[in-house]
Amino acid sequence: MIGFLIRRILAVIPVLFVVAFITFFLMKQAKGGPFDQEKEVNPATVKTLNARFGLDKPTWINTTAVSRASDQGVANPLTLTRAFLDSQFGNYIINAVQGDLGPTYSSKGTENVQDVIKRKFPISLRLGLLAAALAVLVGLPLGILGALKQNTIFDYISLIVATIGTSVPTFVTGLLLTLFLSRVFGVKPIKPIDAWDGYSTAYIAPACILGLNTMAYITRLTRSSMLEVKRQDYIRTARAKGMGDRVVITRHMLRNSMIPVVTILGPAVAGLVTGSFIIENIFRVPGIGDEFVGSIGSRDYSMIMGATLFFALLVALGNLTVDVVYGFLDPRIRSKS
Amino acid sequence: MAKENTPLLDVRNLQVQFKTQDGIINAVNNVSFTVNRGETLGIVGESGSGKSVTSLAIMRLIPAPPGKIAGGQILFDGEDLVDYSEAEMRKIRGNRISMIFQDPMTSLNPVLRIGRQMTESLQLHMNMNAKQARDRAAELLAMVGIPAPDKRLDDYPHQFSGGMRQRVMIAMGLSCNPELLIADEPTTALDVTIQAQILELLNRLKDETGTAIIFITHDLGVVAGMTDRVMVMYAGRAVEQTSTQQLYDNPRMPYTMGLLDSIPRLDEGKGERLTPIRGLPPDMLEKAERCPFAPRCDFVQEVCWTTIPPLRSVEPNHQAACLFDITHEQRQSAASKKAAEEAAALESALESVIAEEHSA
Amino acid sequence: MATTSSEMSRPGQPGVEEFQRPVRSLWSDAWGRLRRNKLAMIGLFYIFFLSLVAIAAPVLAPHSPARPIGAELRERGAYRQAAWVESNNEKKTGLWTYPLGTDSGGGDVLSRLIYGTRVSLVVGFIPMIFTLLIGVTMGLVSGYAGGALDSWMMRFTDVVFALPDILFFIIVQTAFGKTTFGRTFNGLLLIFVSFSVVSWAGVARLVRGQVLSLKEKEFVEAAHAVGVKNNKILTRHILPNTLAPIIVAAAFIVPGAIVTEAVLSFLGIGIQPNTSPTNPFPTSWGQMIFEGKSGIDSQPWILISSAIAIASITIAFVALGDGLRDALDPRN
């Protein structure tokens, strides 16, 4: 189990590296730098700013630094390698590994990306966790009920909720809800900035909308997986042993049918915590997603890079958690790893 | 409680139907049989002949819908199980009647330890506490020949081989000392050598516990060493019923003869050929009033196409569902005559080809 | 051959042919099951209906979807309400000439909605085809080749699979949105490419799994044994047997792509508005939602109508996908 965990953690590293590489590459393709937007900036200021953020260095590798160093008689391979990597990408990765994601451009270097994440992520995390709680607490029972009471009113309700919830995008439901709330009840779901400290009622509406998709997905998956387990031979065996419905369901069906549900739960929760750009945008939640969307508009590359890496890390952690929980649920996996 | 003069199980005119998109299938049609205490009854038939459905009906485990028991009685110890409520039935299942299924690989819950799966019925039916149930489970595993039973109780099903899993299933089936054990093709999914071991185990346990057994199989060869009496099923109907000895010595239904002639035998002469049953298994949707075996029968007569032959007494303790008194010798001679004809036809065809070759 | 069949049909003594019911293939069987699924059939008809709307948009739309100029604009006014809404401002009161009202530039909402069907269908189907092409090829090759090639391809697939997709689309849009490549077909090409580049990984995994199990099947071994060439085994024996899950996956990729376009347009980085009256893709529903959000109080019908349009098309595809999965899965 320990070896398995270590292998899985190590497998995250190349994924993060590739994500960083692709993002960096794509960012470099974009026309215009972060400081081109303000028209009144004079070229000298841009030059100093570029130098300060290391944007005057080569993009990928720094061969000039290597040749300069070797001309000066440096032979230490470590120093040479460091000089070789004294590029925009190289420095970025080296700093990122140490937890430094660099200064944001939009703050003109007064605030680091990791500080922005530290400041804004708790809001997104609260929103995501509330949404996830809602998704699991409603989705699971609805799916189980749908499967057990097949072809009854419960089944139809769970099926309709699941179909609509999975297919209608959250921003559509979110916008329609804000419209509905403001038209019918005169409620403005958009709350002031200070409403988002700690858990507050401000989170209810966005969390409901954010959780809707995942809830519907969990309902569908639970329902189909329960139906699948229901026709397995070992369920017939349990019934043939004289086990009652309650025991058959709780002891024999639930754990088996949870296996596929758990598989999606990790990435789903990671997605809820990170993927709320749209919801945060609609409800003006000052979270990390909102920050990310803002940084696209202002071409704040270090923020975009930092947020992307952070999101990729969260998704990877979500998947890792799934692998571990999976092992607990399914003894066949446990013994294989 | 036990009434010695009545049979343990008395199934009368059992009728089981399944609804499908193509219409209603009569999976079991008017089947009657009895099982006495301590007796072993074999039910033999091809897949789809209704033998498994019959056993599930006794357990009242027919998946409904689409299936349902459409008629008849299942008298167990004098009481009709068809009238039992689900709660009453649960007290019977696993306790007084238990069942072993065909595929041991899928019949055990993959996420529960063997010990848990064995003790749950002991705790439910025998009112044992966890400790007693565990000790009994270990005892049962030892009884079916699983080494280090105390340790194996903590293993999961995937840590057992197929034969071992079937032993676990048998131990589970016998755990509450049932009066009747239904074994639904318990050896079909296993290797031949393992099959023999499991059969031997069942035979031994039958003698030790005195449990009555319904042994369901498609293999007449397996029946020989296992059962006291045999019922042959075809297309949802019982077509022959007698003692195992009689069935081998004097089969009276052409289908049974066909089954017997399909078994390769080492003691037959070199020239003998296997004479299998021609044609395909019956279409269960077919509603025609005729002998279900007629299209495949070597002795089919005009009347066979218009009458469903009832199960009639052909000699003491021997019923067969054939309108005529056909004997095994007749089928064998007919078959060998036919084989000779075919051989002759082939030869003449070959000759004409050779002649053509020569003339060309 | 002739003698056998005449023997079989001897009168009065029916032979083997009596057991034969009309043979139903997997596909006609599946179609039969699909036809009984009401939700899926409604979805199918709705998609068919939308396709007709998309093709006949110029005929159906009461006005040009482009923004009007001069006299026409003066007549419409900005932000005219939906036809049944009264307003204090005479210029904003609804007119039945513009059933769903007009947008801030005076464009007719209904006409834009009708033209928007085109983008949603194109953006749903074309990336689906690309995604399948890449995914099926990768899955087939990887699964059939096995060994080192398989393990490297799958490692690559895993990385692509782990990319946070919406993030990736956003970054690609930021990077290429302003380039010539990004402007082709109003930015549709960029959406096609970026969507397909990420989404194939799921299909590749699915197909590979299928191929791995099919490879062990007897009929493939039999084909090998009689000397059928590898590419023929792949195309004749393996591909047709993976078709059912691929079709189901395709039915779910389409709504995914439609939603992606809508989300990007909603964030203001999706398809780029084109004012030329002859452009076949002048507007999209996502764009209308984007505009409708800012005009949520003054003209809610831009938002409501486009939101309903997107919701209903995705529901239709998901319902069809569900129906297909149930119909093609013989276990049910």
Side-chain angles (χ1 to χ4, degrees), chain C residues 3 19 63 111 138 175 201-202 224 273 281 287:
Chain C
T3 47
F19 300 105
H63 305 278
S111 307
M138 293 291 275
H224 268 301
F281 302 111
Q287 221 171 46

Side-chain angles (χ1 to χ4, degrees), chain C residues 122-132 134 160 163 165-166 168-170 172-173 181 187-203 249-250 252-262 264:
Chain C
V122 164
V123 112
F125 276 102
I126 295 184
M128 182 265 280
I129 292 167
F130 283 148
T131 305
L132 287 188
I134 308 174
V160 175
L163 281 179
D165 46 2
I166 287 277
F168 177 79
F169 301 144
I170 292 174
V172 169
Q173 290 295 334
F181 165 56
L188 281 175
L189 182 67
L190 185 57
I191 295 176
F192 295 165
V193 171
S194 55
F195 185 85
S196 321
V197 156
V198 184
S199 313
W200 61 266
V203 180
F252 288 111
I253 292 172
V254 174
I258 291 174
V259 170
T260 299
E261 183 275 326
L264 292 177

Side-chain angles (χ1 to χ4, degrees), chain A residues 274-303:
Chain A
T274 61
S276 46
F277 322 109
I278 317 286
I279 296 302
E280 291 187 4
N281 185 294
I282 292 173
F283 291 91
R284 307 281 154 73
V285 185
I288 189 81
D290 183 55
E291 182 70 32
F292 181 77
V293 174
S295 65
I296 294 164
S298 58
R299 302 194 160 257
D300 191 342
Y301 294 144
S302 57
M303 191 63 222

